[in-house]
Amino acid sequence: MTMKTFCGRANPTTGALDWVEESEEYDYHQEIARSCYADMLHDKDRNEKYYQGIRAAVSRVKARGERVVVLDIGTGTGLLSMMAVTAGADYCYAIEVFKPMAQAATSITERNGFSDKIKIINKHSTEVTVGPDGDMQERANILVTELFDTELIGEGALPSYEHAHTHLVKAGCEAVPHRATVYSQLVESDMLWKWSQMQPIEVDGNKLLPSSAVVECAGAPSVCDIQLSQVPPESFTPLGPICTMFSVDFSKPVSSAAQSYTAQFKAQTSGRAQVVLSWWDIDMDPDGNIVCTMAPSWTYSEPQTYPWRDHWMQSVYFLPAEKNVSEGEELSLIVSHDDYSLWYNLTNSEQNVVKEAQFRPSCSCQAHLVWTRPRFGELNDEQRTESYVNALRSILKPDSVCLSVSDGSLLPIFAHLIGSKKVFSLENSGMAKQVIEQVLHTNSLKHGVQLLGIRPEQLSLADLEGNQISVLMGEPYFSTSLLPWHSLFFWYCRTAVAQLLLPNAAILPRAATLYITAVEFQDLWRIRVPCGTCEGFDVSPMDEMIQKSLDFRESWEAEPHPLWEYPCRALTKPRPVMTFDFTQCVPEQPINSDGTVPFTGRGRCHGVVLWMEYQLTEDITVSMGLTKPVNEEGACVWNPHRKQGVFFFRSVRETSGNGREGLSYNLTFEPHTGDIKMDFSVTEP
């Protein structure tokens, strides 16, 4: 019998707290469905290199005349343990802390006939015991792990290794991978720096400046992990060479204590040092003949040989402040780490190198806690600012009373600068309110905008000093939004303040339209497609487990992805499927839309992309999805600041593109839940 629990979930579209009955397995299924284990199993480069490294380690131990006992920490599907037994290991202890995963590993090792040689231990490795009554009978002499994330150490690899060397493996054990090395490059990049710092913004001849608190802030300490191969090389200028920052040797005792390392070089060119690009590689063997690297495609002499992966990406780190450097100047790039994260500093002298590096930067200005990096990028997007300013200019009058509903938005400041009589802004979060106050203060506009820390449904005429609203505006941007239609929260806010609007009030945006297009992904499909077999082992119980978790919800749901990082080709023309009219209140009845779009492109259809376009005014529209028309080949250019919705098909469909097949859709917007139920299929003529 499964237990039911009441979960309070904040509804990102309606803004309400919905109490929903969920079986206690809900979060567990979500965890599995979104885990992207398939992506790791599809990573042929990773799997082959691990297999080669394991074979080599087993033969080294055998050559010493020892019995081969393997410890596999974070076994996942049990793949690396099965490789070890196949390579000739006598026994394997495979540790997996996530219970459903440990169960999958047990059935996979059974199905492949390894139950007698592999013991799955469902514990955290630091809780594993050794001895006659322990989880392990004896210490291991080969240590196999896959505990890495994009930042290398973010999943707690260092403490796990530290503990394993002290308690679980013999001295002089062989480790696969044998070592890891972290590489970095110092660059100047306007595009990337705009994700970390607010730039001055031009509005009607006024320059809106960032507050000194933001400019002087060291920024958010967390890594920015992205598909660096999708950042075009022309968008950054290297100021130094690719530096080897530090290595960790996994076959010797590992320390998780905080440390700093320095790379020294001469600046290759003059410029502004802003950003550090970073990645790592792992040597599977002591001689460094078997290497698995995370280097981006543009470091390859033949970029087409680049092995795509999404479970490990590359990292972007922002320096605490930008620094002017001159060609030929001696620089020291310093990387520091604690037990789970890295951060960088730059100095042009020997002094204070180590002292400086020990402090992990943290945000002091609140803006980096309120605005995500894509949000910084959006606020710094000049074209977008121009669209909003032009739209506001066309509807504002000197006697306009404006109300802004959007999280941490600059629109109310724009409205004031364009010359509105009164501007009010609802800032639900205290922190966002503080950040906007700083911007107002810096630009001596303190009395230009009145910030109200209340929710739309609490707003009264008294809060507006007796004025009715003539202009209601929003971007719409809300920090809680994950999927494109979550921004319809603006519509619910508009409905909540309906009594306070003048009869002819202007609403900006006046409407939103949901668009769809069917696509073929270059690589993103790998995170969803079942594996079947991997390096000759049957891993289908894993596929079945993921499928069961995806089926746990009767309908399949779209998931958010930043598609600028994941190239795809459109196989149909973009089709508007639903329009939401913000000049009216949210309707009582559901909105339904169905139809068929002919396939115009030939290819493999992996799924459907969904996005919103906002009609700011009659003739100004901004898109949160495609930012340019799709070309003949179907290449798509996606808005880099927002995530798009992706609905994956269960199986790949081949399309001929001669217009015979169609993408059939059925969408229903439920006003009471704010959800869009969707069903897509590929139809034959």
Side-chain angles (χ1 to χ4, degrees):
M1 167 187 151
T2 62
M3 293 273 294
K4 292 273 188 186
T5 49
F6 261 127
C7 301
R9 295 192 190 281
N11 185 317
T13 316
T14 62
L17 185 67
D18 295 344
W19 288 94
V20 282
E21 205 180 23
E22 295 285 14
S23 96
E24 61 181 5
E25 295 179 316
Y26 174 75
D27 286 331
Y28 154 109
H29 284 295
Q30 284 287 80
E31 177 79 16
I32 296 167
R34 300 276 180 263
S35 65
C36 302
Y37 281 107
D39 161 44
M40 303 176 81
L41 296 173
H42 279 296
D43 187 346
K44 207 162 166 42
D45 177 66
R46 173 195 93 117
N47 300 335
E48 285 172 353
K49 303 274 172 68
Y50 260 101
Y51 211 166
Q52 290 169 17
I54 288 168
R55 281 198 204 96
V58 170
S59 55
R60 288 197 300 275
V61 174
K62 286 201 149 160
R64 302 202 292 255
E66 294 174 37
R67 186 178 124 81
V68 178
V69 180
V70 175
L71 171 62
D72 173 6
I73 302 180
T75 194
T77 54
L79 178 68
L80 303 182
S81 289
M82 295 190 295
M83 287 177 175
V85 173
T86 308
D90 295 287
Y91 201 76
C92 269
Y93 294 102
I95 301 174
E96 177 53 57
V97 70
F98 186 42
K99 193 171 180 190
M101 210 56 228
Q103 288 164 342
T106 303
S107 60
I108 288 171
T109 49
E110 273 170 16
R111 184 173 295 196
N112 289 278
F114 292 112
S115 318
D116 56 332
K117 293 272 184 100
I118 298 174
K119 179 183 180 184
I120 309 289
I121 302 168
N122 179 205
K123 281 187 174 180
H124 194 283
S125 66
T126 55
E127 289 163 4
V128 170
T129 55
V130 181
D133 307 324
D135 301 308
M136 296 169 63
Q137 292 290 296
E138 59 190 307
R139 286 183 174 233
N141 49 13
I142 293 185
L143 174 57
V144 177
T145 57
E146 206 283 55
L147 297 169
F148 314 113
D149 70 344
T150 292
E151 208 171 5
L152 185 68
I153 63 171
E155 285 180 16
L158 296 178
S160 299
Y161 272 116
E162 190 169 35
H163 176 271
H165 275 290
T166 313
H167 301 284
L168 307 177
V169 298
K170 293 179 176 169
C173 80
E174 297 284 345
V176 182
H178 180 79
R179 80 176 67 79
T181 307
V182 172
Y183 302 92
S184 298
Q185 186 166 34
L186 180 69
V187 304
E188 170 181 337
S189 171
D190 272 341
M191 174 192 144
L192 296 176
W193 191 242
K194 280 179 178 168
W195 295 356
S196 172
Q197 270 298 351
M198 186 180 149
Q199 310 288 331
I201 298 171
E202 289 274 350
V203 183
D204 252 21
N206 298 292
K207 232 190 180 61
L208 194 62
L209 300 170
S211 73
S212 57
V214 177
V215 176
E216 289 158 20
C217 178
S222 56
V223 64
C224 172
D225 53 343
I226 58 168
Q227 292 284 0
L228 206 45
S229 300
Q230 295 308 315
V231 174
E234 59 273 17
S235 66
F236 60 87
T237 306
L239 300 178
I242 294 172
C243 301
T244 304
M245 297 307 299
F246 68 94
S247 287
V248 186
D249 184 337
F250 298 128
S251 66
K252 297 189 175 74
V254 169
S255 164
S256 63
Q259 267 170 299
S260 296
Y261 304 91
T262 304
Q264 288 173 308
F265 55 88
K266 280 190 166 75
Q268 293 175 349
T269 176
S270 299
R272 291 167 303 149
Q274 298 165 323
V275 178
V276 177
L277 309 181
S278 179
W279 57 88
W280 49 264
D281 64 24
I282 41 183
D283 290 330
M284 295 297 183
D285 62 322
D287 299 332
N289 295 325
I290 310 162
V291 185
C292 185
T293 178
M294 302 309 119
S297 60
W298 36 258
T299 63
Y300 282 64
S301 51
E302 295 170 21
Q304 69 279 9
T305 62
Y306 168 75
W308 184 88
R309 40 176 84 90
D310 201 45
H311 49 103
W312 295 328
M313 290 187 268
Q314 296 80 31
S315 306
V316 170
Y317 296 91
F318 301 95
L319 290 176
E322 61 179 346
K323 221 184 192 101
N324 287 317
V325 301
S326 314
E327 189 177 340
E329 188 179 347
E330 289 281 356
L331 299 174
S332 297
L333 184 63
I334 306 146
V335 64
S336 307
H337 72 76
D338 51 22
D339 49 2
Y340 68 97
S341 63
L342 306 178
W343 59 95
Y344 283 82
N345 265 296
L346 182 72
T347 156
N348 46 4
S349 66
E350 285 296 276
Q351 74 220 36
N352 299 339
V353 165
V354 174
K355 258 199 245 141
E356 209 181 329
Q358 291 312 319
F359 297 104
R360 183 161 182 248
S362 62
C363 171
S364 54
C365 72
Q366 316 281 20
H368 298 92
L369 306 177
V370 168
W371 294 328
T372 61
R373 291 181 176 115
R375 177 64 172 156
F376 265 102
E378 184 166 65
L379 294 171
N380 285 323
D381 181 334
E382 289 151 19
Q383 263 178 310
R384 177 182 167 283
T385 296
E386 198 179 327
S387 298
Y388 279 93
V389 168
N390 288 341
L392 283 170
R393 203 183 282 124
S394 72
I395 55 176
L396 291 176
K397 302 185 175 69
D399 61 348
S400 292
V401 175
C402 305
L403 176 68
S404 166
V405 189
S406 222
D407 287 0
S409 173
L410 301 175
L411 287 194
I413 305 181
F414 296 170
H416 169 71
L417 292 174
I418 290 167
S420 249
K421 174 177 124 182
K422 280 238 172 275
V423 186
F424 298 92
S425 180
L426 295 190
E427 282 299 348
N428 201 359
S429 120
M431 233 169 12
K433 186 165 174 264
Q434 205 178 316
V435 169
I436 300 302
E437 272 165 3
Q438 286 175 359
V439 178
L440 290 168
H441 181 75
T442 300
N443 293 280
S444 310
L445 301 171
K446 253 179 115 167
H447 306 293
V449 178
Q450 274 182 282
L451 301 175
L452 306 172
I454 49 180
R455 298 173 58 84
E457 62 274 15
Q458 300 167 323
L459 190 68
S460 69
L461 211 50
D463 297 311
L464 300 171
E465 299 167 2
N467 297 287
Q468 281 194 293
I469 300 159
S470 51
V471 176
L472 177 72
M473 57 189 175
E475 299 192 24
Y477 169 86
F478 301 100
S479 54
T480 48
S481 301
L482 290 169
L483 289 157
W485 43 96
H486 290 168
S487 60
L488 292 176
F489 180 46
F490 177 75
W491 203 10
Y492 289 83
C493 296
R494 177 257 180 267
T495 307
V497 301
Q499 300 306 312
L500 304 170
L501 296 173
L502 285 168
N504 59 346
I507 313 279
L508 178 148
R510 53 189 300 160
T513 302
L514 181 68
Y515 278 79
I516 62 170
T517 184
V519 298
E520 171 181 70
F521 282 110
Q522 191 176 302
D523 296 296
L524 190 66
W525 57 270
R526 296 171 207 265
I527 69 169
R528 281 283 157 268
V529 171
C531 272
T533 61
C534 181
E535 294 302 305
F537 302 103
D538 178 355
V539 293
S540 51
M542 178 76 210
D543 297 331
E544 289 153 23
M545 180 175 96
I546 292 174
Q547 193 54 57
K548 193 174 141 210
S549 286
L550 288 167
D551 289 343
F552 180 71
R553 275 280 190 250
E554 303 74 87
S555 73
W556 261 37
E557 296 175 351
E559 46 190 85
H561 288 283
L563 291 186
W564 73 270
E565 292 184 59
Y566 302 103
C568 62
R569 271 189 335 119
L571 300 175
T572 61
K573 296 257 187 294
R575 162 78 57 101
V577 289
M578 213 177 256
T579 291
F580 309 94
D581 181 358
F582 297 159
T583 64
Q584 307 297 315
C585 287
V586 176
E588 287 294 312
Q589 298 307 313
I591 303 174
N592 188 271
S593 167
D594 52 46
T596 304
V597 197
F599 277 95
T600 47
R602 183 186 176 151
R604 310 178 67 206
C605 181
H606 294 119
V608 180
V609 178
L610 305 98
W611 70 95
M612 284 290 199
E613 294 199 355
Y614 302 120
Q615 284 85 47
L616 301 186
T617 58
E618 271 297 322
D619 46 4
I620 300 176
T621 301
V622 290
S623 170
M624 300 298 132
L626 289 171
T627 55
K628 287 188 178 149
V630 173
N631 69 10
E632 282 299 299
E633 289 75 56
C636 300
V637 180
W638 298 103
N639 182 318
H641 312 308
R642 298 273 179 119
K643 289 182 176 178
Q644 291 73 37
V646 180
F647 180 97
F648 287 99
F649 283 127
R650 297 183 176 216
S651 54
V652 180
R653 300 293 300 264
E654 297 283 346
T655 63
S656 63
N658 55 16
R660 284 217 297 272
E661 307 98 336
L663 170 71
S664 147
Y665 60 89
N666 187 341
L667 300 155
T668 306
F669 170 71
E670 291 284 355
H672 299 289
T673 62
D675 267 347
I676 294 182
K677 292 270 174 283
M678 57 188 72
D679 188 37
F680 295 101
S681 57
V682 176
T683 55
E684 304 295 340

